[in-house]
Amino acid sequence: KQVEPMIEGFFDKWPTASDAALADEEEMREVIKSLGMFNRRVKTIKNMSNQYLLGFEDAKELYGCGKYADDAYRIFMKGEWKDVEPNDQALNKYHDWLKEERSVSV
């Protein structure tokens, strides 16, 4: 509920990782302040954007990304869903669905 009102304006201002990496920190704080912990979030967004631009193999290499982000990246982007054991409820539902679908279609 807190992210939705802010997210469109955020991506209007900084549509790419390059834009976010170069963003004025004070301006970014103003846009995301409704989310709380805005100083930490600005640091995370800028650091992650810079690392993203340098390239990465797994999402867990990016600043601020943990198991959930890495699991989601491996499932949705890399197609490595068979090798992932998610802890998140929504990812588990999708993961279970994939396993079921793949076993039916084989």
Side-chain angles (χ1 to χ4, degrees):
K1 287 183 177 185
Q2 293 173 318
V3 173
E4 275 187 44
M6 177 279 306
I7 200 75
E8 187 174 334
F10 182 93
F11 284 114
D12 284 345
K13 286 186 176 292
W14 306 289
T16 68
S18 296
D19 294 324
L22 297 172
D24 177 76
E25 291 185 20
E26 189 56 41
E27 185 178 9
M28 190 178 279
R29 277 187 202 95
E30 283 300 311
V31 171
I32 68 171
K33 69 181 176 184
S34 63
L35 301 178
M37 298 178 14
F38 46 86
N39 288 324
R40 183 179 191 153
R41 290 178 195 272
V42 167
K43 178 182 176 184
T44 298
I45 292 166
K46 291 182 70 66
N47 284 338
M48 183 189 305
S49 297
N50 280 308
Q51 288 178 326
Y52 177 87
L53 293 169
L54 294 173
F56 63 98
E57 184 65 30
D58 296 306
K60 65 185 172 191
E61 298 169 23
L62 298 173
Y63 184 88
C65 289
K67 180 169 173 43
Y68 172 81
D70 196 57
D71 287 349
Y73 181 72
R74 290 179 65 202
I75 291 169
F76 295 108
M77 302 303 294
K78 295 179 86 177
E80 297 177 352
W81 63 271
K82 290 179 185 176
D83 302 321
V84 176
E85 293 183 30
N87 293 339
D88 177 77
Q89 184 179 4
L91 283 182
N92 270 321
K93 284 181 181 181
Y94 184 70
H95 192 254
D96 290 344
W97 178 83
L98 283 173
K99 287 190 282 190
E100 187 176 307
E101 283 294 306
R102 299 305 190 250
S103 68
V104 169
S105 59
V106 172

